[in-house]
Amino acid sequence: MRKFNTAGPIRPALHYHIPPLDRIALPEVLELIREERYFVLHAPRQTGKTTALLALRGLLNGGEAGEYRCAYINVEPAQTAREDVGRAMGAIASQIAREARYTLNDHATAEAAEALDTTRRPDDVLGTLLETWTRAGRAPLVLLIDEIDSLVGDTLVSVLRQLRAGYVRRPEGFPQSVVLCGVRDVRDYRIRAGSEKEVITGGSAFNVKATSLRMGDFGRAEVEDLLGQHTDETGQGFAPGAIRAVWEQTRGQPWLVNALALEMCFSAGVPREPGEAFTESDVFLSREALILRRDTHLDQLADKLREPRVRRVIEPLLGGGDAEYSDRDFEYVRDLGLVAPGRTLRVANPIYGEVLPRELTWVLQHEIAPQETAWYVHPNGSLDMDRLLAAFQEFFRQNSEHWIRRAQYTEAGPQLVLQAFLHRVVNATGRIEREYALGSRRVDLLVVWPREGGREDRAVVECKLVKEGRSLSRTVEEGLEQTKRYMDISGTAAGHLVIFDLRPGRSWAERIFREERDLGDSRVTVWGA
C-alpha cells in the first residue's frame, strides 16, 4: 500500500505523488540546458526540489542516442568542513566518485576523484575534476548540485568561483549546464569569507548565472489529485469540506499536505478502515496533532524566529504594526517559506500562522495559572466569551508587564499574551483561527467552539493597540468598523474588541473597562486592557 510521503525524495512505488517534472518549468529548464546555461532552482525546504532533480536526471539520461550525461551530487556532507576548503572538496569529490561510478558507469572518473589529494591546491581541485569528468565521455555533461546553500564561507566562495572559472570551457572541457539547487537564490547569498575578511555576495562569486527558477507549492487541483490517489487505492473518501480544509490550511505547501493527509489516513501508522468519508473536523484534529508533535519541519521553521532578520519581518505581522524591514530581510523570510510568494506580506498558510504565535508563547502557555475549560462553558455547552475575556482582563492587569518584558517579540507582546491565554482555554475543545493585517495595528481572531449535532459557535475577537500620539476614541471607532467587517466575513453576530492602551502614564483604572456597542443588527463588546 502506498502512503503519503513526509521524509526524503518521492519513490513512486511507495508514495502518492504529483509527477515531479510537472512541478518545474520543464520546457524552460530543457531550453536552458540546450543553450548551455548555468542557472538556479530554489524553493523552501521540503517542497520537492530533490525529487525534481532526480527526475530530471532520469529524463536526461534516458534521452535518445545518449544526448546528455546527467549527474546529481548533494554537497551537504561538506557542510561539516565549514571553511576548511580542502576537507570540503574531499567530501564533494567522494560524491562525484559515487555518482560517476553508479549512475554513469564511469569508473575512470570515480577512480580519479578517489585518488585526488584535495588538500593541495584546494581552490582548483573541483574545476580540474569537472574538466576530467566532462572529457571522459562524448555526450555533454549536465551537473545538478543540490543543497548548495549548506556550504559556508570560503568553501562556498571557492565552489562558486571554480564553477565560474570553468564556464568558458563548456561544453567540451566543462559541464554544458550546471543547476544550483537550494532554499535561496544564489544572488541573495551574503557570504562571510574568512580568508578575504569581507562579505562576498553570491551574485559576484557566480555571475555566470542565467536565471533563477522558483519551484512552487501544489495548486488546489494537485491537492485534490493527491488525496484522490488515496481514495482510488483504498476506497477511503474525503468529503468536499475536508478537501477544501486541507487546501485552505496548507495553501498547497507539499510537506504540510502530505503530513496532514498521512495523519488523517494513517494515524499511528495504521490505515483507517474504509467507511464514512473524512470530514473537515478530521482535518482540524490532524492539524492539531501535527502542531503538538512539533515535527521537524515545523520545528525548524519555529527555530528561525530567533533570527533578527526574521523577527524584523514577522513581529510587525503578528502585531499588526508598521514594518521596518529591508528587501533582503523580506526575501530571506519569503525564501524560507514563512511568508507567501509575491510582494504582499502575509503568512504562507494558516498552519504556519498557528505555529508562529504558539511557538513564541510556548513558555507562557505552560506557566499561566491553571485555567480549566469547564469554568467558561455554559450549561448548554456554549463558550462563555464574556467570562473568558473578563478573566483575561484580570490576568493581563496582574501579569502583563512581567510577560511582555520577557517576550521575544515585545512589539507584538500584548496580542501574543491574549492568544496564549485564549489558547490555554479554547484549544482543549475548539480552535482559534488567526488573520494578520500588517500596518493596521490589529490582529483578527476567530474562536470556533463545537456544539452537539455538528454545529459551531463562532466569535470574533479583534485586538487593537493604542500608543502614544493615538486617540483612544478614534482607535475604538476604527476597531469597531474592522470588527464588524470581520464578523461579516466570518458569518457571526458575536464580536469582541480588545483595546490595549499602551500610552505612558495611563493607570489601570483608566485602561480597564467594558462597554457594549450596537452596530446595526450586531453587538460588539469593547474590552479595555
Side-chain angles (χ1 to χ4, degrees):
M1 174 186 292
R2 294 196 297 169
K3 292 185 178 181
F4 298 94
N5 181 41
T6 60
I10 291 292
R11 298 178 62 185
L14 300 177
H15 304 132
Y16 306 128
H17 66 283
I18 303 301
L21 294 180
D22 290 354
R23 301 191 52 227
I24 60 175
L26 184 60
E28 184 176 359
V29 166
L30 295 178
E31 183 67 16
L32 287 166
I33 292 171
R34 279 193 292 270
E35 293 178 352
E36 303 176 6
R37 301 298 186 94
Y38 287 16
F39 59 98
V40 173
L41 176 67
H42 69 104
R45 295 207 175 279
Q46 294 183 293
T47 303
K49 301 185 297 296
T50 298
T51 297
L53 291 180
L54 295 176
L56 179 62
R57 181 185 67 178
L59 175 71
L60 295 177
N61 285 335
E64 295 181 5
E67 184 179 3
Y68 299 110
R69 292 173 297 146
C70 184
Y72 164 91
I73 61 170
N74 185 323
V75 297
E76 191 170 20
Q79 183 184 48
T80 57
R82 308 299 292 173
E83 295 198 76
D84 185 338
V85 180
R87 217 178 109 212
M89 292 304 162
I92 294 172
S94 293
Q95 294 294 310
I96 288 174
R98 290 190 185 94
E99 183 72 354
R101 177 176 287 115
Y102 298 115
T103 298
L104 300 180
N105 198 30
D106 180 357
H107 295 277
T109 297
E111 290 168 5
E114 290 167 342
L116 272 175
D117 180 359
T118 59
T119 61
R120 294 184 61 211
R121 300 169 59 195
D123 290 315
D124 185 52
V125 68
L126 178 62
T128 300
L129 183 53
L130 291 181
E131 181 172 0
T132 299
W133 201 2
T134 300
R135 296 186 185 280
R138 293 183 178 179
L141 179 66
V142 176
L143 180 60
L144 314 177
I145 303 179
D146 203 359
E147 301 288 355
I148 185 65
D149 48 2
S150 66
L151 304 180
V152 298
D154 288 332
T155 295
L156 179 54
V157 171
S158 181
V159 168
L160 295 177
R161 285 181 170 168
Q162 289 184 69
L163 292 173
R164 183 180 68 180
Y167 179 79
V168 296
R169 300 196 299 276
R170 75 196 196 292
E172 295 83 5
F174 216 66
Q176 168 161 322
S177 183
V178 172
V179 182
L180 299 182
C181 187
V183 171
R184 307 184 64 207
D185 186 352
V186 67
R187 73 174 174 82
D188 296 327
Y189 299 170
R190 293 181 62 78
I191 310 161
R192 299 191 179 277
S195 63
E196 304 199 23
K197 307 302 181 186
E198 62 179 331
V199 173
I200 307 297
T201 62
S204 64
F206 192 68
N207 58 10
V208 294
K209 182 198 75 172
T211 190
S212 293
L213 305 177
R214 190 183 192 279
M215 189 171 181
D217 294 331
F218 293 153
R220 183 165 184 165
E222 291 172 316
V223 171
E224 293 177 357
D225 184 346
L226 198 71
L227 299 178
Q229 292 175 39
H230 179 73
T231 300
D232 292 342
E233 293 197 12
T234 66
Q236 182 70 62
F238 298 84
I243 295 174
R244 182 182 63 252
V246 171
W247 162 249
E248 291 177 348
Q249 289 299 306
T250 65
R251 287 295 165 182
Q253 203 289 329
W255 186 90
L256 288 179
V257 174
N258 279 279
L260 204 55
L262 184 67
E263 178 66 27
M264 261 195 303
C265 303
F266 298 92
S267 180
V270 179
R272 180 161 158 176
E273 291 295 325
E276 292 186 5
F278 291 110
T279 66
E280 183 178 4
S281 176
D282 292 315
V283 175
F284 281 101
L285 287 172
S286 298
R287 183 190 83 153
E288 185 66 13
L290 288 183
I291 293 172
L292 290 177
R293 202 162 60 228
R294 299 176 83 181
D295 283 347
T296 302
H297 175 88
L298 298 177
D299 200 46
Q300 285 178 336
L301 284 178
D303 185 64
K304 293 292 183 182
L305 294 174
R306 300 183 180 92
E307 296 185 15
R309 52 186 168 174
V310 175
R311 176 179 172 173
R312 288 193 290 269
V313 176
I314 297 298
E315 185 168 30
L317 187 61
L318 294 180
D322 296 321
E324 296 183 358
Y325 54 80
S326 69
D327 282 348
R328 286 193 176 276
D329 293 336
F330 176 75
E331 289 167 355
Y332 177 70
V333 176
R334 185 181 61 194
D335 286 347
L336 291 177
L338 279 169
V339 299
R343 298 304 305 177
T344 301
L345 180 59
R346 55 190 173 86
V347 178
N349 55 68
I351 292 181
Y352 289 175
E354 179 75 11
V355 168
L356 298 182
R358 285 211 209 177
E359 183 65 25
L360 291 170
T361 61
W362 188 85
V363 174
L364 175 56
Q365 290 173 45
H366 286 77
E367 293 189 15
I368 287 176
Q371 298 290 325
E372 297 293 338
T373 302
W375 299 348
Y376 305 102
V377 178
H378 288 296
N380 66 2
S382 63
L383 185 65
D384 189 340
M385 288 296 299
D386 276 354
R387 186 174 183 183
L388 179 56
L389 288 172
F392 170 73
Q393 270 186 324
E394 184 60 27
F395 172 83
F396 192 75
R397 179 175 187 165
Q398 295 178 5
N399 299 281
S400 61
E401 291 185 10
H402 169 68
W403 283 112
I404 292 174
R405 188 169 60 249
R406 287 180 57 189
Q408 190 177 3
Y409 284 33
T410 53
E411 289 296 316
Q415 300 95 321
L416 292 173
V417 171
L418 172 61
Q419 292 181 61
F421 189 89
L422 293 178
H423 174 80
R424 182 70 182 262
V425 174
V426 172
N427 270 57
T429 302
R431 69 178 187 273
I432 301 171
E433 298 180 5
R434 298 165 168 87
E435 291 289 339
Y436 304 107
L438 183 70
S440 67
R441 294 181 175 80
R442 80 178 197 271
V443 175
D444 304 328
L445 307 176
L446 178 65
V447 176
V448 181
W449 187 260
R451 299 282 297 279
E452 290 184 3
R455 295 180 298 123
E456 290 180 337
D457 290 337
R458 301 162 72 86
V460 164
V461 179
E462 189 96 16
C463 315
K464 291 280 289 182
L465 300 181
V466 186
K467 293 189 175 183
E468 187 173 10
R470 295 277 295 175
S471 161
L472 175 61
S473 59
R474 181 179 176 183
T475 301
V476 170
E477 293 305 317
E478 288 178 356
L480 288 170
E481 181 181 338
Q482 292 161 349
T483 305
K484 181 62 166 63
R485 188 181 309 125
Y486 193 43
M487 290 166 66
D488 291 340
I489 293 171
S490 305
T492 178
H496 300 268
L497 172 61
V498 180
I499 302 291
F500 294 102
D501 193 342
L502 305 182
R503 292 175 296 174
R506 302 285 289 179
S507 69
W508 281 106
E510 295 172 298
R511 292 166 62 179
I512 296 290
F513 63 87
R514 179 190 184 279
E515 59 184 51
E516 301 280 349
R517 292 290 191 93
D518 288 320
L519 303 176
D521 57 353
S522 302
R523 173 171 287 188
V524 175
T525 306
V526 183
W527 303 84

